[in-house]
Amino acid sequence: MRARHLRGMAAGIALVAGLGMAAPQAAAQTLTDTLIAAYRTSNLIGQNRAVLRAADEDVAQAVSALRPVVNFVARAEGVSAEQSLPSGPGTTRVENLTAQLALSAELTVFDFGRNRLAIGAAEAQVLATRAALVGVEQQVLFNAVAAFMDVRAAISRLELREANVRLIGQELQAARDRFEVGEITRTDVSIAEARLAGARSQVAAAQGDLAVAREAYRAATGDYPVRLAPPPALPALPASLEAAQGVARDRHPAIRRAQFEVTAADLNAERTAAIGRGTVSGTLNLSIDDDRRDRSSVGLSYSRPVYTGGRNPSLSRQAIAQRDAARSNLHQTAVEVIEQVGRSWSNIAVSRAQIQASASQIEAAQTAFEGISQEAELGARTTLDVLNAEQELLDARVGRVDAETARTLAVYGLLSSMGLLTVEHLDLGIPVYDPEAYYNAVRNAPLRSPQGEQLDRILQRMQP
């Protein structure tokens, strides 16, 4: 009878281990569902889309500097004077009020390329901000993968711990029965009681881990998980570390962002160097006074700074320093990205080895548990021996859960380090944000026009 009971314990552990990974299959949330929810509900993505739209407006503002600036001026003046009276001594105050309406326009005719360089720098900064948005998208999607896998792992660990409590409870009852008939001592019963208390403590800790994982899932996706399906087949990866690093050099958003920031810094350095060359401006003034007298004037002027107290040379030196900093940042970013690819590649290899080792460990622990159980039936093993063998089998199964979770995170971490953890590359089947739509609507600094109406429609679609 004891042998059947112990074999039932082993079968129960194996069954629960399988349920921990396979039970939530029917009508469950998939990893794709989780990624889609994270992408659609992310406040971080929404924030950085707004940051990108603000950068788009910098281009519009740079373009507007090439257009005339027209000002309307309404002016009223009063002049007072003391006037002597013709009939004798004394004076009187005379008020003379005048009014004038005027339009003045000023246009930069030639600025030695500064506006053109400003537009180029703004455009490069837009591209850098777009790359930063892709980086945020990768961060959001990886957090969703991590949240999904953490919940599944927490559920599996909790189920294993709960099964362990039930099995140790059965072992404790069996120990008490054997103590009653004098087969074992009170010490064996106390050992089983202590082990049961420890197992219950581990269940409480596993419940806490699951609660934490559920909160992280809600933060990542906007809602709590209901039932999670097993993760799908892992995405395809490059054949070698060198190939993965080559993709990262070409695709990683951090590197692309740094490249565009270098371009913007180069153009800004050129622009500040041209400040001292001056500006050719055209002016047009139209006015009418309260006597309906019209006046108009047209002018062309050239001005350049002669003395600025050292401000312009300082601006030039500052722009050069910022350019050098951007170039150094590009080099350092590339180093860090390549390092991350190597780390992720190594993590995948380690997790695969851990899974293989866990499988061997589980098989050996299962055999050991069954053998010790049979020996205990014959009196050659104690209750402590059985409990230790059961604990080793449990630890091996928990280790496999952790190793499988680590492998999945390592694979998606490698995709992220290559710059491929995006909605488009994962083919999630949902519409993606189009940064060109807003940019094309504002790049020419539209006024109230058909183009401006198109911009209004785009803004309405972006409202939450």
Side-chain angles (χ1 to χ4, degrees):
M1 179 177 179
R2 174 178 170 80
R4 287 196 301 271
H5 165 65
L6 292 176
R7 285 193 293 271
M9 291 174 64
I13 293 177
L15 175 62
V16 171
L19 290 176
M21 298 305 294
Q25 290 185 10
Q29 295 169 282
T30 65
L31 178 57
T32 297
D33 296 332
T34 299
L35 293 170
I36 291 174
Y39 181 76
R40 287 177 170 170
T41 63
S42 172
N43 295 318
L44 189 59
I45 289 179
Q47 173 193 351
N48 281 270
R49 287 174 179 171
V51 170
L52 176 56
R53 294 195 297 273
D56 293 341
E57 297 293 350
D58 287 335
V59 177
Q61 293 165 24
V63 169
S64 69
L66 297 174
R67 298 174 180 172
V69 176
V70 181
N71 291 309
F72 170 76
V73 179
R75 182 183 298 110
E77 294 180 340
V79 180
S80 62
E82 299 292 336
Q83 182 176 354
S84 299
L85 296 177
S87 59
T91 61
T92 183
R93 184 174 300 276
V94 178
E95 300 287 344
N96 184 17
L97 297 177
T98 62
Q100 185 183 57
L101 300 178
L103 283 177
S104 65
E106 183 174 358
L107 173 65
T108 298
V109 178
F110 186 65
D111 65 354
F112 296 90
R114 291 197 302 276
N115 281 345
R116 176 182 55 79
L117 292 169
I119 293 173
E123 290 173 340
Q125 196 59 51
V126 164
L127 296 176
T129 309
R130 288 184 189 178
L133 178 59
V134 175
V136 171
E137 178 183 341
Q138 289 206 140
Q139 176 185 342
V140 167
L141 294 182
F142 183 80
N143 289 345
V145 174
F148 180 93
M149 296 304 301
D150 286 347
V151 170
R152 279 189 50 80
I155 291 172
S156 296
R157 286 193 291 264
L158 176 58
E159 290 175 342
L160 288 169
R161 299 296 183 191
E162 289 174 340
N164 188 40
V165 167
R166 292 193 295 270
L167 296 175
I168 293 178
Q170 294 172 6
E171 177 62 25
L172 173 59
Q173 184 58 49
R176 286 170 176 169
D177 293 342
R178 295 178 65 199
F179 173 71
E180 291 294 330
V181 298
E183 292 184 6
I184 59 174
T185 66
R186 178 64 189 173
T187 300
D188 293 290
V189 176
S190 298
I191 290 172
E193 290 173 341
R195 189 61 62 88
L196 179 60
R200 287 172 175 166
S201 174
Q202 292 177 336
V203 167
Q207 290 171 338
D209 292 341
L210 177 57
V212 171
R214 283 172 53 82
E215 292 297 332
Y217 187 96
R218 182 174 182 268
T221 66
D223 205 353
Y224 290 108
V226 180
R227 288 186 298 171
L228 300 183
L234 294 174
L237 298 177
S240 66
L241 173 59
E242 291 72 20
Q245 291 173 335
V247 173
R249 290 188 183 94
D250 293 335
R251 297 286 300 272
H252 198 281
I255 292 179
R256 293 177 62 82
R257 176 183 182 179
Q259 290 171 335
F260 290 125
E261 287 176 342
V262 168
T263 300
D266 286 340
L267 294 173
N268 282 326
E270 292 184 45
R271 182 169 61 87
T272 54
I275 290 178
R277 299 175 186 173
T279 303
V280 178
S281 301
T283 59
L284 171 64
N285 294 288
L286 301 173
S287 65
I288 183 172
D289 59 20
D290 48 2
D291 292 329
R292 297 185 179 277
R293 290 177 297 185
D294 297 337
R295 294 182 180 178
S296 63
S297 65
V298 177
L300 188 66
S301 64
Y302 168 71
S303 64
R304 60 173 296 178
V306 177
Y307 177 72
T308 61
R311 180 177 183 275
N312 286 353
S314 176
L315 289 174
S316 180
R317 293 192 300 270
Q318 182 184 55
I320 292 173
Q322 290 170 341
R323 178 198 63 191
D324 294 343
R327 291 175 177 175
S328 296
N329 178 64
L330 172 59
H331 296 317
Q332 182 60 27
T333 299
V335 169
E336 292 174 356
V337 167
I338 296 306
E339 177 193 10
Q340 184 59 47
V341 173
R343 186 183 299 119
S344 298
W345 191 271
S346 176
N347 288 340
I348 292 174
V350 170
S351 61
R352 284 173 176 168
Q354 288 175 334
I355 290 173
Q356 293 176 354
S358 295
S360 300
Q361 184 182 6
I362 290 171
E363 183 179 359
Q366 183 76 48
T367 301
F369 178 77
E370 293 174 354
I372 290 175
S373 299
Q374 293 174 0
E375 292 171 4
E377 181 184 3
L378 301 175
R381 293 284 187 172
T382 65
T383 299
L384 179 60
D385 293 330
V386 175
L387 292 174
N388 286 341
E390 185 272 335
Q391 184 65 44
E392 290 180 3
L393 179 56
L394 173 66
D395 291 343
R397 296 193 182 281
V398 171
R400 183 176 66 179
V401 170
D402 293 341
E404 290 175 345
T405 301
R407 180 185 61 178
T408 300
L409 293 179
V411 168
Y412 283 95
L414 178 61
L415 287 181
S416 178
S417 66
M418 294 164 59
L420 299 179
L421 190 59
T422 63
V423 170
E424 184 177 6
H425 182 78
L426 295 176
D427 195 20
L428 298 184
I430 58 174
V432 296
Y433 180 76
D434 181 13
E436 293 282 350
Y438 186 88
Y439 175 77
N440 290 335
V442 302
R443 61 179 299 179
N444 292 320
L447 303 174
R448 302 307 305 174
S449 64
Q451 189 177 13
E453 294 174 2
Q454 176 190 4
L455 175 59
D456 291 340
R457 291 193 293 270
I458 292 173
L459 289 173
Q460 289 174 0
R461 289 197 299 269
M462 290 179 178
Q463 294 301 317

